[in-house]
Amino acid sequence: MGTTLWIVDINVDGLWETPEIRQAANFLREGEVIAFPTETVYGLGANATDSEAVKKIFEAKGRPSDNPLIVHIADPKQINELVDEVTPIGKQLIEAFSPGPISFIFKKKEGVFSDLVTAGLDTVAIRIPEHPVAYALLKAAAVPVAAPSANRSGRPSPTSAQHVMDDLNGLIKGVIDGGETGYGLESTVVDCTGEVPVILRPGSITADEIKEVIGAVIVDPALKNETEAPRAPGMKYRHYAPDHPLYLVDGSLELLQSFVNQFKRDGKRVGVIATRENLAKIDADAMIVMGSETDLSSIAHSLYDSLRKSDVLDVDVLLSLCFPEEGVGQAIMNRLRKAAGNRVLTESDLFG
Ligand code: AMP
Ligand code: MG
């Protein structure tokens, strides 16, 4: 299949009426899949009410069928046609954070979505993105759009149109290029079916911000404890993996250097992913920069790009320091642990 690349100016007025967006929206309505930028990462969209269309998402990504998709809409008012009941906490959170990088889980209305979207669950995740291209496409398509991240399953999520093309060129109908995404990590997923919101996947809207609105918040304990099954089915999979095995170092810059030296003594070539400030302080075979020490959101923004760039390095292993698990640091460490397959090194792992 030929993949069309539409390059759009995200600042034009009436974006939803431009020929590029109209053509992409028509493809969506005709049952094709289209990748588009959102404020989190690039999404791979299909009409959520059309099973044949949604099936193409799973095929293009190689995504396991038990992993449900998030449904995207342009206008919060549409939500009443899609879910059984917008709970009081759901209403408050939508008012506080939408449009934005957060997905809300409600009991679904029966008979609206393809069963593939919800993977057989009786709930559905809904998001109202704020990115101008996502908004324009959803408005022009005028159907709810199921959209996971636009990467091959298991790979780091795409934060640019080039990342999407690297993974899916020839497998999907088109990609709308609206530049680099802003936040760089997938949306916060919050179960709003009860009286207290439960974070099933951490993201750029943090637990503290949600707590400020509702007064209480629970973080799915399975996110930290590997023996429990997480409530978001997708969280159990290894994800975001770079080509070279990644190890996280829980400790100081000096400890990181000790592990670099240890791997080198073993005859391994070592790459290090580090913040701008730490780059010059480390002696390794190759280095990749990832954001700035002074701003966790800059690390979130460049995390997936840094992981993807590391694939071209001529190294045997990759190392990165852990980051503080406060604010968006929770989401950063959640993604890094998955990218590392939970390999975390501490001082006790050093030989002699
Ligand atoms: P992605 O589409 O790659 O951004 O992943 C969507 C995430 O949301 C996955 O971790 C899914 O398991 C999770 N998710 C989507 N719908 C539901 C739902 N109804 N209940 C629980 N988790 C969900
Ligand atoms: Mg994904």
Side-chain angles (χ1 to χ4, degrees):
M1 180 189 311
T3 300
T4 304
L5 182 67
W6 296 278
I7 298 175
V8 299
D9 176 355
I10 67 172
N11 296 314
V12 299
D13 289 335
L15 191 55
W16 74 284
E17 290 182 307
T18 58
E20 295 85 352
I21 297 291
R22 280 200 172 276
Q23 190 183 20
N26 280 337
F27 278 134
L28 276 181
R29 272 203 302 270
E30 288 163 7
E32 298 295 345
V33 295
I34 298 293
F36 60 97
T38 80
E39 67 276 22
T40 60
V41 300
Y42 272 70
L44 184 61
N47 179 351
T49 66
D50 176 348
S51 284
E52 285 306 308
V54 176
K55 203 164 121 200
K56 292 179 187 169
I57 292 180
F58 285 88
E59 284 167 359
K61 282 185 61 100
R63 182 173 172 111
S65 61
D66 70 345
N67 191 3
L69 307 178
I70 294 168
V71 174
H72 296 68
I73 54 176
D75 181 345
K77 286 191 211 98
Q78 289 171 270
I79 202 166
N80 297 308
E81 298 149 34
L82 308 177
V83 312
D84 219 25
E85 187 207 347
V86 181
T87 53
I89 60 163
K91 263 192 203 108
Q92 280 176 278
L93 290 178
I94 290 170
E95 260 167 42
F97 299 118
S98 276
I102 180 166
S103 302
F104 310 97
I105 293 182
F106 295 109
K107 287 262 178 302
K108 71 178 178 189
K109 202 165 251 179
E110 289 302 328
V112 177
F113 301 110
S114 155
D115 277 344
L116 290 172
V117 170
T118 52
L121 300 174
D122 61 357
T123 53
V124 63
I126 307 275
R127 182 158 106 80
I128 304 141
E130 70 181 339
H131 192 287
V133 173
Y135 173 77
L137 182 68
L138 293 168
K139 184 173 161 75
V143 290
V145 171
S149 49
N151 51 284
R152 288 281 298 167
S153 225
R155 297 259 302 142
S157 299
T159 56
S160 70
Q162 185 59 51
H163 292 164
V164 180
M165 290 300 266
D166 289 344
D167 278 18
L168 299 174
N169 191 9
L171 298 175
I172 60 177
K173 198 72 187 173
V175 182
I176 308 175
D177 183 347
E180 272 183 36
T181 61
Y183 293 103
L185 297 180
E186 303 82 348
S187 61
T188 307
V189 176
V190 190
D191 185 337
C192 297
T193 56
E195 280 172 18
V196 177
V198 184
I199 296 182
L200 305 189
R201 176 173 74 181
S204 293
I205 302 288
T206 64
D208 286 342
E209 288 174 289
I210 291 173
K211 196 169 172 187
E212 248 173 59
V213 175
I214 305 290
V217 66
I218 297 170
V219 179
D220 183 3
L223 293 179
K224 277 279 172 70
N225 177 355
E226 268 193 81
T227 54
E228 276 178 69
R231 285 173 50 189
M235 298 304 280
K236 68 176 177 288
Y237 292 108
R238 179 147 183 244
H239 260 138
Y240 323 121
D243 287 350
H244 308 296
L246 170 67
Y247 293 80
L248 303 179
V249 175
D250 188 2
S252 63
L253 207 52
E254 291 70 34
L255 185 65
L256 174 74
Q257 185 66 54
S258 303
F259 278 111
V260 173
N261 300 344
Q262 180 168 301
F263 275 112
K264 285 173 78 111
R265 280 198 300 276
D266 273 356
K268 301 260 196 298
R269 286 180 57 81
V270 185
V272 171
I273 301 176
T275 56
R276 196 178 304 144
E277 292 82 358
N278 284 344
L279 218 51
K281 300 181 189 156
I282 298 160
D283 178 21
D285 295 305
M287 302 290 298
I288 295 265
V289 66
M290 183 166 80
S292 163
E293 205 63 15
T294 58
D295 178 11
L296 279 177
S297 64
S298 73
I299 293 169
H301 172 81
S302 54
L303 192 145
Y304 292 132
D305 186 54
S306 302
L307 289 178
R308 281 176 176 263
K309 285 200 170 112
S310 75
D311 289 346
V312 304
L313 299 180
D314 175 22
V315 296
D316 303 299
V317 294
L318 289 168
L319 294 179
S320 164
L321 281 178
C322 292
F323 292 92
E325 291 199 49
E326 57 207 36
V328 71
Q330 285 193 339
I332 291 171
M333 282 307 296
N334 170 266
R335 306 309 194 273
L336 275 181
R337 272 197 221 96
K338 283 182 176 296
N342 272 311
R343 284 180 293 254
V344 182
L345 301 172
T346 62
E347 191 139 21
S348 62
D349 297 305
L350 270 183
F351 301 138

